[in-house]
mmCIF file with all atom_site columns, all heavy atoms in Angstrom:
data_model
loop_
_atom_site.group_PDB
_atom_site.id
_atom_site.type_symbol
_atom_site.label_atom_id
_atom_site.label_alt_id
_atom_site.label_comp_id
_atom_site.label_asym_id
_atom_site.label_entity_id
_atom_site.label_seq_id
_atom_site.pdbx_PDB_ins_code
_atom_site.Cartn_x
_atom_site.Cartn_y
_atom_site.Cartn_z
_atom_site.occupancy
_atom_site.B_iso_or_equiv
_atom_site.pdbx_formal_charge
_atom_site.auth_seq_id
_atom_site.auth_comp_id
_atom_site.auth_asym_id
_atom_site.auth_atom_id
_atom_site.pdbx_PDB_model_num
ATOM 1   N N   . GLN A 1 154 ? -28.833 1.373  -9.090  1.00 0.00 ? 359 GLN A N   1
ATOM 2   C CA  . GLN A 1 154 ? -29.202 2.429  -8.153  1.00 0.00 ? 359 GLN A CA  1
ATOM 3   C C   . GLN A 1 154 ? -28.068 2.709  -7.166  1.00 0.00 ? 359 GLN A C   1
ATOM 4   O O   . GLN A 1 154 ? -27.748 3.870  -6.887  1.00 0.00 ? 359 GLN A O   1
ATOM 5   C CB  . GLN A 1 154 ? -30.469 2.041  -7.392  1.00 0.00 ? 359 GLN A CB  1
ATOM 6   C CG  . GLN A 1 154 ? -30.960 3.152  -6.463  1.00 0.00 ? 359 GLN A CG  1
ATOM 7   C CD  . GLN A 1 154 ? -32.228 2.757  -5.715  1.00 0.00 ? 359 GLN A CD  1
ATOM 8   O OE1 . GLN A 1 154 ? -32.774 1.675  -5.920  1.00 0.00 ? 359 GLN A OE1 1
ATOM 9   N NE2 . GLN A 1 154 ? -32.701 3.640  -4.846  1.00 0.00 ? 359 GLN A NE2 1
ATOM 10  N N   . LEU A 1 155 ? -27.453 1.644  -6.649  1.00 0.00 ? 360 LEU A N   1
ATOM 11  C CA  . LEU A 1 155 ? -26.352 1.807  -5.698  1.00 0.00 ? 360 LEU A CA  1
ATOM 12  C C   . LEU A 1 155 ? -25.148 2.441  -6.382  1.00 0.00 ? 360 LEU A C   1
ATOM 13  O O   . LEU A 1 155 ? -24.455 3.290  -5.791  1.00 0.00 ? 360 LEU A O   1
ATOM 14  C CB  . LEU A 1 155 ? -25.973 0.448  -5.107  1.00 0.00 ? 360 LEU A CB  1
ATOM 15  C CG  . LEU A 1 155 ? -25.186 0.452  -3.787  1.00 0.00 ? 360 LEU A CG  1
ATOM 16  C CD1 . LEU A 1 155 ? -26.004 1.102  -2.680  1.00 0.00 ? 360 LEU A CD1 1
ATOM 17  C CD2 . LEU A 1 155 ? -24.788 -0.966 -3.398  1.00 0.00 ? 360 LEU A CD2 1
ATOM 18  N N   . TYR A 1 156 ? -24.901 2.050  -7.623  1.00 0.00 ? 361 TYR A N   1
ATOM 19  C CA  . TYR A 1 156 ? -23.793 2.623  -8.377  1.00 0.00 ? 361 TYR A CA  1
ATOM 20  C C   . TYR A 1 156 ? -23.991 4.134  -8.570  1.00 0.00 ? 361 TYR A C   1
ATOM 21  O O   . TYR A 1 156 ? -23.067 4.923  -8.359  1.00 0.00 ? 361 TYR A O   1
ATOM 22  C CB  . TYR A 1 156 ? -23.656 1.925  -9.731  1.00 0.00 ? 361 TYR A CB  1
ATOM 23  C CG  . TYR A 1 156 ? -22.595 2.533  -10.624 1.00 0.00 ? 361 TYR A CG  1
ATOM 24  C CD1 . TYR A 1 156 ? -21.250 2.240  -10.438 1.00 0.00 ? 361 TYR A CD1 1
ATOM 25  C CD2 . TYR A 1 156 ? -22.947 3.410  -11.651 1.00 0.00 ? 361 TYR A CD2 1
ATOM 26  C CE1 . TYR A 1 156 ? -20.274 2.807  -11.249 1.00 0.00 ? 361 TYR A CE1 1
ATOM 27  C CE2 . TYR A 1 156 ? -21.982 3.981  -12.468 1.00 0.00 ? 361 TYR A CE2 1
ATOM 28  C CZ  . TYR A 1 156 ? -20.646 3.675  -12.265 1.00 0.00 ? 361 TYR A CZ  1
ATOM 29  O OH  . TYR A 1 156 ? -19.689 4.245  -13.070 1.00 0.00 ? 361 TYR A OH  1
ATOM 30  N N   . THR A 1 157 ? -25.189 4.534  -8.936  1.00 0.00 ? 362 THR A N   1
ATOM 31  C CA  . THR A 1 157 ? -25.489 5.956  -9.132  1.00 0.00 ? 362 THR A CA  1
ATOM 32  C C   . THR A 1 157 ? -25.321 6.719  -7.827  1.00 0.00 ? 362 THR A C   1
ATOM 33  O O   . THR A 1 157 ? -24.768 7.829  -7.808  1.00 0.00 ? 362 THR A O   1
ATOM 34  C CB  . THR A 1 157 ? -26.922 6.130  -9.665  1.00 0.00 ? 362 THR A CB  1
ATOM 35  O OG1 . THR A 1 157 ? -27.034 5.443  -10.913 1.00 0.00 ? 362 THR A OG1 1
ATOM 36  C CG2 . THR A 1 157 ? -27.251 7.601  -9.878  1.00 0.00 ? 362 THR A CG2 1
ATOM 37  N N   . GLN A 1 158 ? -25.777 6.137  -6.732  1.00 0.00 ? 363 GLN A N   1
ATOM 38  C CA  . GLN A 1 158 ? -25.612 6.758  -5.414  1.00 0.00 ? 363 GLN A CA  1
ATOM 39  C C   . GLN A 1 158 ? -24.135 6.970  -5.088  1.00 0.00 ? 363 GLN A C   1
ATOM 40  O O   . GLN A 1 158 ? -23.749 8.004  -4.546  1.00 0.00 ? 363 GLN A O   1
ATOM 41  C CB  . GLN A 1 158 ? -26.245 5.883  -4.332  1.00 0.00 ? 363 GLN A CB  1
ATOM 42  C CG  . GLN A 1 158 ? -27.753 5.989  -4.216  1.00 0.00 ? 363 GLN A CG  1
ATOM 43  C CD  . GLN A 1 158 ? -28.246 5.102  -3.071  1.00 0.00 ? 363 GLN A CD  1
ATOM 44  O OE1 . GLN A 1 158 ? -28.425 3.893  -3.226  1.00 0.00 ? 363 GLN A OE1 1
ATOM 45  N NE2 . GLN A 1 158 ? -28.444 5.707  -1.921  1.00 0.00 ? 363 GLN A NE2 1
ATOM 46  N N   . ALA A 1 159 ? -23.310 5.972  -5.419  1.00 0.00 ? 364 ALA A N   1
ATOM 47  C CA  . ALA A 1 159 ? -21.879 6.048  -5.122  1.00 0.00 ? 364 ALA A CA  1
ATOM 48  C C   . ALA A 1 159 ? -21.220 7.175  -5.912  1.00 0.00 ? 364 ALA A C   1
ATOM 49  O O   . ALA A 1 159 ? -20.398 7.928  -5.375  1.00 0.00 ? 364 ALA A O   1
ATOM 50  C CB  . ALA A 1 159 ? -21.206 4.714  -5.442  1.00 0.00 ? 364 ALA A CB  1
ATOM 51  N N   . ILE A 1 160 ? -21.577 7.298  -7.173  1.00 0.00 ? 365 ILE A N   1
ATOM 52  C CA  . ILE A 1 160 ? -21.007 8.359  -8.004  1.00 0.00 ? 365 ILE A CA  1
ATOM 53  C C   . ILE A 1 160 ? -21.418 9.730  -7.455  1.00 0.00 ? 365 ILE A C   1
ATOM 54  O O   . ILE A 1 160 ? -20.594 10.655 -7.335  1.00 0.00 ? 365 ILE A O   1
ATOM 55  C CB  . ILE A 1 160 ? -21.454 8.222  -9.467  1.00 0.00 ? 365 ILE A CB  1
ATOM 56  C CG1 . ILE A 1 160 ? -20.947 6.900  -10.062 1.00 0.00 ? 365 ILE A CG1 1
ATOM 57  C CG2 . ILE A 1 160 ? -20.972 9.409  -10.293 1.00 0.00 ? 365 ILE A CG2 1
ATOM 58  C CD1 . ILE A 1 160 ? -19.439 6.772  -10.123 1.00 0.00 ? 365 ILE A CD1 1
ATOM 59  N N   . GLU A 1 161 ? -22.676 9.874  -7.085  1.00 0.00 ? 366 GLU A N   1
ATOM 60  C CA  . GLU A 1 161 ? -23.171 11.146 -6.543  1.00 0.00 ? 366 GLU A CA  1
ATOM 61  C C   . GLU A 1 161 ? -22.485 11.470 -5.218  1.00 0.00 ? 366 GLU A C   1
ATOM 62  O O   . GLU A 1 161 ? -22.138 12.624 -4.949  1.00 0.00 ? 366 GLU A O   1
ATOM 63  C CB  . GLU A 1 161 ? -24.686 11.085 -6.357  1.00 0.00 ? 366 GLU A CB  1
ATOM 64  C CG  . GLU A 1 161 ? -25.449 11.056 -7.683  1.00 0.00 ? 366 GLU A CG  1
ATOM 65  C CD  . GLU A 1 161 ? -26.947 10.835 -7.489  1.00 0.00 ? 366 GLU A CD  1
ATOM 66  O OE1 . GLU A 1 161 ? -27.358 10.520 -6.338  1.00 0.00 ? 366 GLU A OE1 1
ATOM 67  O OE2 . GLU A 1 161 ? -27.689 10.956 -8.475  1.00 0.00 ? 366 GLU A OE2 1
ATOM 68  N N   . LYS A 1 162 ? -22.273 10.439 -4.383  1.00 0.00 ? 367 LYS A N   1
ATOM 69  C CA  . LYS A 1 162 ? -21.611 10.626 -3.092  1.00 0.00 ? 367 LYS A CA  1
ATOM 70  C C   . LYS A 1 162 ? -20.177 11.111 -3.297  1.00 0.00 ? 367 LYS A C   1
ATOM 71  O O   . LYS A 1 162 ? -19.706 12.025 -2.603  1.00 0.00 ? 367 LYS A O   1
ATOM 72  C CB  . LYS A 1 162 ? -21.607 9.310  -2.308  1.00 0.00 ? 367 LYS A CB  1
ATOM 73  C CG  . LYS A 1 162 ? -21.013 9.399  -0.905  1.00 0.00 ? 367 LYS A CG  1
ATOM 74  C CD  . LYS A 1 162 ? -21.926 10.146 0.036   1.00 0.00 ? 367 LYS A CD  1
ATOM 75  C CE  . LYS A 1 162 ? -21.445 10.070 1.457   1.00 0.00 ? 367 LYS A CE  1
ATOM 76  N NZ  . LYS A 1 162 ? -22.283 10.867 2.384   1.00 0.00 ? 367 LYS A NZ  1
ATOM 77  N N   . TYR A 1 163 ? -19.486 10.517 -4.238  1.00 0.00 ? 368 TYR A N   1
ATOM 78  C CA  . TYR A 1 163 ? -18.107 10.934 -4.527  1.00 0.00 ? 368 TYR A CA  1
ATOM 79  C C   . TYR A 1 163 ? -18.068 12.408 -4.936  1.00 0.00 ? 368 TYR A C   1
ATOM 80  O O   . TYR A 1 163 ? -17.236 13.181 -4.432  1.00 0.00 ? 368 TYR A O   1
ATOM 81  C CB  . TYR A 1 163 ? -17.515 10.065 -5.641  1.00 0.00 ? 368 TYR A CB  1
ATOM 82  C CG  . TYR A 1 163 ? -16.199 10.610 -6.151  1.00 0.00 ? 368 TYR A CG  1
ATOM 83  C CD1 . TYR A 1 163 ? -15.007 10.361 -5.463  1.00 0.00 ? 368 TYR A CD1 1
ATOM 84  C CD2 . TYR A 1 163 ? -16.142 11.396 -7.308  1.00 0.00 ? 368 TYR A CD2 1
ATOM 85  C CE1 . TYR A 1 163 ? -13.805 10.882 -5.909  1.00 0.00 ? 368 TYR A CE1 1
ATOM 86  C CE2 . TYR A 1 163 ? -14.940 11.922 -7.752  1.00 0.00 ? 368 TYR A CE2 1
ATOM 87  C CZ  . TYR A 1 163 ? -13.778 11.655 -7.049  1.00 0.00 ? 368 TYR A CZ  1
ATOM 88  O OH  . TYR A 1 163 ? -12.582 12.188 -7.486  1.00 0.00 ? 368 TYR A OH  1
ATOM 89  N N   . GLU A 1 164 ? -18.951 12.808 -5.817  1.00 0.00 ? 369 GLU A N   1
ATOM 90  C CA  . GLU A 1 164 ? -18.965 14.176 -6.308  1.00 0.00 ? 369 GLU A CA  1
ATOM 91  C C   . GLU A 1 164 ? -19.268 15.171 -5.180  1.00 0.00 ? 369 GLU A C   1
ATOM 92  O O   . GLU A 1 164 ? -18.745 16.283 -5.163  1.00 0.00 ? 369 GLU A O   1
ATOM 93  C CB  . GLU A 1 164 ? -19.977 14.325 -7.445  1.00 0.00 ? 369 GLU A CB  1
ATOM 94  C CG  . GLU A 1 164 ? -19.585 13.601 -8.727  1.00 0.00 ? 369 GLU A CG  1
ATOM 95  C CD  . GLU A 1 164 ? -18.318 14.149 -9.361  1.00 0.00 ? 369 GLU A CD  1
ATOM 96  O OE1 . GLU A 1 164 ? -18.003 15.336 -9.139  1.00 0.00 ? 369 GLU A OE1 1
ATOM 97  O OE2 . GLU A 1 164 ? -17.616 13.399 -10.058 1.00 0.00 ? 369 GLU A OE2 1
ATOM 98  N N   . GLN A 1 165 ? -20.090 14.751 -4.227  1.00 0.00 ? 370 GLN A N   1
ATOM 99  C CA  . GLN A 1 165 ? -20.408 15.617 -3.079  1.00 0.00 ? 370 GLN A CA  1
ATOM 100 C C   . GLN A 1 165 ? -19.208 15.754 -2.139  1.00 0.00 ? 370 GLN A C   1
ATOM 101 O O   . GLN A 1 165 ? -18.880 16.852 -1.664  1.00 0.00 ? 370 GLN A O   1
ATOM 102 C CB  . GLN A 1 165 ? -21.589 15.040 -2.298  1.00 0.00 ? 370 GLN A CB  1
ATOM 103 C CG  . GLN A 1 165 ? -22.929 15.100 -3.019  1.00 0.00 ? 370 GLN A CG  1
ATOM 104 C CD  . GLN A 1 165 ? -23.983 14.255 -2.318  1.00 0.00 ? 370 GLN A CD  1
ATOM 105 O OE1 . GLN A 1 165 ? -23.752 13.716 -1.233  1.00 0.00 ? 370 GLN A OE1 1
ATOM 106 N NE2 . GLN A 1 165 ? -25.142 14.123 -2.946  1.00 0.00 ? 370 GLN A NE2 1
ATOM 107 N N   . MET A 1 166 ? -18.546 14.642 -1.879  1.00 0.00 ? 371 MET A N   1
ATOM 108 C CA  . MET A 1 166 ? -17.500 14.614 -0.852  1.00 0.00 ? 371 MET A CA  1
ATOM 109 C C   . MET A 1 166 ? -16.196 15.263 -1.309  1.00 0.00 ? 371 MET A C   1
ATOM 110 O O   . MET A 1 166 ? -15.464 15.839 -0.496  1.00 0.00 ? 371 MET A O   1
ATOM 111 C CB  . MET A 1 166 ? -17.218 13.163 -0.424  1.00 0.00 ? 371 MET A CB  1
ATOM 112 C CG  . MET A 1 166 ? -18.366 12.478 0.271   1.00 0.00 ? 371 MET A CG  1
ATOM 113 S SD  . MET A 1 166 ? -17.956 10.780 0.752   1.00 0.00 ? 371 MET A SD  1
ATOM 114 C CE  . MET A 1 166 ? -16.980 11.053 2.225   1.00 0.00 ? 371 MET A CE  1
ATOM 115 N N   . LYS A 1 167 ? -15.878 15.168 -2.589  1.00 0.00 ? 372 LYS A N   1
ATOM 116 C CA  . LYS A 1 167 ? -14.554 15.618 -3.041  1.00 0.00 ? 372 LYS A CA  1
ATOM 117 C C   . LYS A 1 167 ? -14.335 17.117 -2.835  1.00 0.00 ? 372 LYS A C   1
ATOM 118 O O   . LYS A 1 167 ? -13.196 17.562 -2.672  1.00 0.00 ? 372 LYS A O   1
ATOM 119 C CB  . LYS A 1 167 ? -14.337 15.242 -4.510  1.00 0.00 ? 372 LYS A CB  1
ATOM 120 C CG  . LYS A 1 167 ? -15.158 16.033 -5.512  1.00 0.00 ? 372 LYS A CG  1
ATOM 121 C CD  . LYS A 1 167 ? -14.837 15.617 -6.939  1.00 0.00 ? 372 LYS A CD  1
ATOM 122 C CE  . LYS A 1 167 ? -15.575 16.478 -7.950  1.00 0.00 ? 372 LYS A CE  1
ATOM 123 N NZ  . LYS A 1 167 ? -15.272 16.071 -9.355  1.00 0.00 ? 372 LYS A NZ  1
ATOM 124 N N   . HIS A 1 168 ? -15.422 17.890 -2.820  1.00 0.00 ? 373 HIS A N   1
ATOM 125 C CA  . HIS A 1 168 ? -15.296 19.341 -2.678  1.00 0.00 ? 373 HIS A CA  1
ATOM 126 C C   . HIS A 1 168 ? -14.979 19.765 -1.248  1.00 0.00 ? 373 HIS A C   1
ATOM 127 O O   . HIS A 1 168 ? -14.649 20.931 -1.007  1.00 0.00 ? 373 HIS A O   1
ATOM 128 C CB  . HIS A 1 168 ? -16.578 20.024 -3.146  1.00 0.00 ? 373 HIS A CB  1
ATOM 129 C CG  . HIS A 1 168 ? -16.899 19.766 -4.595  1.00 0.00 ? 373 HIS A CG  1
ATOM 130 N ND1 . HIS A 1 168 ? -16.102 20.208 -5.628  1.00 0.00 ? 373 HIS A ND1 1
ATOM 131 C CD2 . HIS A 1 168 ? -17.917 19.077 -5.182  1.00 0.00 ? 373 HIS A CD2 1
ATOM 132 C CE1 . HIS A 1 168 ? -16.616 19.827 -6.774  1.00 0.00 ? 373 HIS A CE1 1
ATOM 133 N NE2 . HIS A 1 168 ? -17.708 19.138 -6.543  1.00 0.00 ? 373 HIS A NE2 1
ATOM 134 N N   . LYS A 1 169 ? -15.077 18.834 -0.284  1.00 0.00 ? 374 LYS A N   1
ATOM 135 C CA  . LYS A 1 169 ? -14.866 19.173 1.114   1.00 0.00 ? 374 LYS A CA  1
ATOM 136 C C   . LYS A 1 169 ? -13.424 18.926 1.579   1.00 0.00 ? 374 LYS A C   1
ATOM 137 O O   . LYS A 1 169 ? -13.090 19.165 2.737   1.00 0.00 ? 374 LYS A O   1
ATOM 138 C CB  . LYS A 1 169 ? -15.825 18.370 1.989   1.00 0.00 ? 374 LYS A CB  1
ATOM 139 C CG  . LYS A 1 169 ? -17.297 18.661 1.687   1.00 0.00 ? 374 LYS A CG  1
ATOM 140 C CD  . LYS A 1 169 ? -18.219 17.786 2.506   1.00 0.00 ? 374 LYS A CD  1
ATOM 141 C CE  . LYS A 1 169 ? -19.687 18.041 2.164   1.00 0.00 ? 374 LYS A CE  1
ATOM 142 N NZ  . LYS A 1 169 ? -20.600 17.138 2.912   1.00 0.00 ? 374 LYS A NZ  1
ATOM 143 N N   . LEU A 1 170 ? -12.576 18.447 0.676   1.00 0.00 ? 375 LEU A N   1
ATOM 144 C CA  . LEU A 1 170 ? -11.197 18.143 1.056   1.00 0.00 ? 375 LEU A CA  1
ATOM 145 C C   . LEU A 1 170 ? -10.374 19.417 1.234   1.00 0.00 ? 375 LEU A C   1
ATOM 146 O O   . LEU A 1 170 ? -10.559 20.383 0.498   1.00 0.00 ? 375 LEU A O   1
ATOM 147 C CB  . LEU A 1 170 ? -10.533 17.269 -0.011  1.00 0.00 ? 375 LEU A CB  1
ATOM 148 C CG  . LEU A 1 170 ? -11.024 15.825 -0.128  1.00 0.00 ? 375 LEU A CG  1
ATOM 149 C CD1 . LEU A 1 170 ? -10.338 15.148 -1.304  1.00 0.00 ? 375 LEU A CD1 1
ATOM 150 C CD2 . LEU A 1 170 ? -10.764 15.044 1.151   1.00 0.00 ? 375 LEU A CD2 1
ATOM 151 N N   . PRO A 1 171 ? -9.444  19.421 2.196   1.00 0.00 ? 376 PRO A N   1
ATOM 152 C CA  . PRO A 1 171 ? -8.537  20.569 2.358   1.00 0.00 ? 376 PRO A CA  1
ATOM 153 C C   . PRO A 1 171 ? -7.463  20.554 1.278   1.00 0.00 ? 376 PRO A C   1
ATOM 154 O O   . PRO A 1 171 ? -7.399  19.619 0.465   1.00 0.00 ? 376 PRO A O   1
ATOM 155 C CB  . PRO A 1 171 ? -7.936  20.320 3.737   1.00 0.00 ? 376 PRO A CB  1
ATOM 156 C CG  . PRO A 1 171 ? -7.941  18.832 3.885   1.00 0.00 ? 376 PRO A CG  1
ATOM 157 C CD  . PRO A 1 171 ? -9.199  18.359 3.188   1.00 0.00 ? 376 PRO A CD  1
ATOM 158 N N   . SER A 1 172 ? -6.592  21.551 1.290   1.00 0.00 ? 377 SER A N   1
ATOM 159 C CA  . SER A 1 172 ? -5.462  21.560 0.360   1.00 0.00 ? 377 SER A CA  1
ATOM 160 C C   . SER A 1 172 ? -4.578  20.344 0.636   1.00 0.00 ? 377 SER A C   1
ATOM 161 O O   . SER A 1 172 ? -4.391  19.952 1.792   1.00 0.00 ? 377 SER A O   1
ATOM 162 C CB  . SER A 1 172 ? -4.639  22.833 0.535   1.00 0.00 ? 377 SER A CB  1
ATOM 163 O OG  . SER A 1 172 ? -5.422  23.966 0.233   1.00 0.00 ? 377 SER A OG  1
ATOM 164 N N   . PRO A 1 173 ? -4.027  19.723 -0.409  1.00 0.00 ? 378 PRO A N   1
ATOM 165 C CA  . PRO A 1 173 ? -3.208  18.525 -0.201  1.00 0.00 ? 378 PRO A CA  1
ATOM 166 C C   . PRO A 1 173 ? -1.944  18.820 0.598   1.00 0.00 ? 378 PRO A C   1
ATOM 167 O O   . PRO A 1 173 ? -1.437  19.940 0.603   1.00 0.00 ? 378 PRO A O   1
ATOM 168 C CB  . PRO A 1 173 ? -2.882  18.064 -1.632  1.00 0.00 ? 378 PRO A CB  1
ATOM 169 C CG  . PRO A 1 173 ? -3.107  19.254 -2.493  1.00 0.00 ? 378 PRO A CG  1
ATOM 170 C CD  . PRO A 1 173 ? -4.178  20.062 -1.833  1.00 0.00 ? 378 PRO A CD  1
ATOM 171 N N   . ASP A 1 174 ? -1.423  17.799 1.284   1.00 0.00 ? 379 ASP A N   1
ATOM 172 C CA  . ASP A 1 174 ? -0.250  17.906 2.145   1.00 0.00 ? 379 ASP A CA  1
ATOM 173 C C   . ASP A 1 174 ? 0.911   17.176 1.482   1.00 0.00 ? 379 ASP A C   1
ATOM 174 O O   . ASP A 1 174 ? 0.920   15.960 1.386   1.00 0.00 ? 379 ASP A O   1
ATOM 175 C CB  . ASP A 1 174 ? -0.579  17.283 3.510   1.00 0.00 ? 379 ASP A CB  1
ATOM 176 C CG  . ASP A 1 174 ? 0.631   17.200 4.418   1.00 0.00 ? 379 ASP A CG  1
ATOM 177 O OD1 . ASP A 1 174 ? 1.336   18.214 4.542   1.00 0.00 ? 379 ASP A OD1 1
ATOM 178 O OD2 . ASP A 1 174 ? 0.877   16.112 4.995   1.00 0.00 ? 379 ASP A OD2 1
ATOM 179 N N   . GLY A 1 175 ? 1.912   17.930 1.026   1.00 0.00 ? 380 GLY A N   1
ATOM 180 C CA  . GLY A 1 175 ? 3.045   17.304 0.352   1.00 0.00 ? 380 GLY A CA  1
ATOM 181 C C   . GLY A 1 175 ? 3.835   18.317 -0.454  1.00 0.00 ? 380 GLY A C   1
ATOM 182 O O   . GLY A 1 175 ? 3.759   19.516 -0.167  1.00 0.00 ? 380 GLY A O   1
ATOM 183 N N   . PRO A 1 176 ? 4.569   17.858 -1.469  1.00 0.00 ? 381 PRO A N   1
ATOM 184 C CA  . PRO A 1 176 ? 4.613   16.478 -1.971  1.00 0.00 ? 381 PRO A CA  1
ATOM 185 C C   . PRO A 1 176 ? 5.450   15.572 -1.068  1.00 0.00 ? 381 PRO A C   1
ATOM 186 O O   . PRO A 1 176 ? 6.530   15.939 -0.622  1.00 0.00 ? 381 PRO A O   1
ATOM 187 C CB  . PRO A 1 176 ? 5.265   16.615 -3.352  1.00 0.00 ? 381 PRO A CB  1
ATOM 188 C CG  . PRO A 1 176 ? 6.123   17.839 -3.232  1.00 0.00 ? 381 PRO A CG  1
ATOM 189 C CD  . PRO A 1 176 ? 5.400   18.763 -2.297  1.00 0.00 ? 381 PRO A CD  1
ATOM 190 N N   . SER A 1 177 ? 4.914   14.405 -0.806  1.00 0.00 ? 382 SER A N   1
ATOM 191 C CA  . SER A 1 177 ? 5.571   13.436 0.062   1.00 0.00 ? 382 SER A CA  1
ATOM 192 C C   . SER A 1 177 ? 5.590   12.064 -0.611  1.00 0.00 ? 382 SER A C   1
ATOM 193 O O   . SER A 1 177 ? 4.747   11.764 -1.463  1.00 0.00 ? 382 SER A O   1
ATOM 194 C CB  . SER A 1 177 ? 4.818   13.311 1.389   1.00 0.00 ? 382 SER A CB  1
ATOM 195 O OG  . SER A 1 177 ? 4.901   14.489 2.139   1.00 0.00 ? 382 SER A OG  1
#
Side-chain angles (χ1 to χ4, degrees):
Q359 184 180 357
L360 200 62
Y361 175 80
T362 300
Q363 281 182 278
I365 297 297
E366 290 173 350
K367 183 72 172 177
Y368 170 81
E369 291 296 334
Q370 291 168 6
M371 295 180 79
K372 71 178 184 180
H373 299 295
K374 299 176 182 177
L375 290 175
S377 298
D379 173 48
S382 293

